[in-house]
Amino acid sequence: MNIKKIDANNYQIKILKKIDINNIPYLKELTTNIIKKIKKNNKLRKDIVLNIYPSTYETIIILKDYYKLKNLSNITEVKINIHTDTIFLYQIE
């Protein structure tokens, strides 16, 4: 798993294998592991959106961290969007 910080509130996560998007317990475990790894070095807010782009060779996940004005609880809300019909273009130098 390769985590790259794009800007202050956006992260790009590359997983070098195809993940099973139909396995809900695996997706829960994967998202908690990603959030824990990012929280070790950076601060995440309470509202997170994950965009998952599965492919046959790798899976790319874009994490966007949004700011809520009032959040009195200590609960992180995660929304997962899975994009199944995606095409990746690779640039080779």
Side-chain angles (χ1 to χ4, degrees):
M1 181 181 320
N2 184 9
I3 299 174
K4 178 182 173 184
K5 187 172 186 176
I6 298 172
D7 59 20
N9 297 331
N10 292 325
Y11 298 88
Q12 180 183 24
I13 299 99
K14 286 186 182 180
I15 301 173
L16 298 177
K17 65 178 183 176
K18 183 178 180 179
I19 63 169
D20 185 12
I21 57 173
N22 297 320
N23 189 353
I24 302 300
Y26 175 73
L27 284 178
K28 286 182 184 180
E29 179 183 341
L30 180 67
T31 55
T32 54
N33 288 339
I34 288 171
I35 291 171
K36 284 180 184 179
K37 283 187 179 186
I38 292 175
K39 279 188 175 182
K40 282 183 184 178
N41 299 326
N42 302 305
K43 185 175 181 182
L44 287 178
R45 298 184 180 128
K46 301 294 181 188
D47 197 14
I48 296 172
V49 175
L50 286 172
N51 290 311
I52 300 176
Y53 301 94
S55 176
T56 56
Y57 302 110
E58 68 180 8
T59 301
I60 296 178
I61 301 171
I62 305 294
L63 185 141
K64 293 185 180 182
D65 184 19
Y66 294 103
Y67 180 70
K68 272 183 137 176
L69 293 177
K70 282 190 176 181
N71 190 356
L72 302 175
S73 66
N74 198 13
I75 298 173
T76 302
E77 296 178 12
V78 179
K79 180 180 178 184
I80 299 175
N81 298 321
I82 300 174
H83 305 276
T84 56
D85 292 333
T86 59
I87 298 173
F88 288 109
L89 300 176
Y90 292 97
Q91 181 178 2
I92 300 173
E93 294 180 13

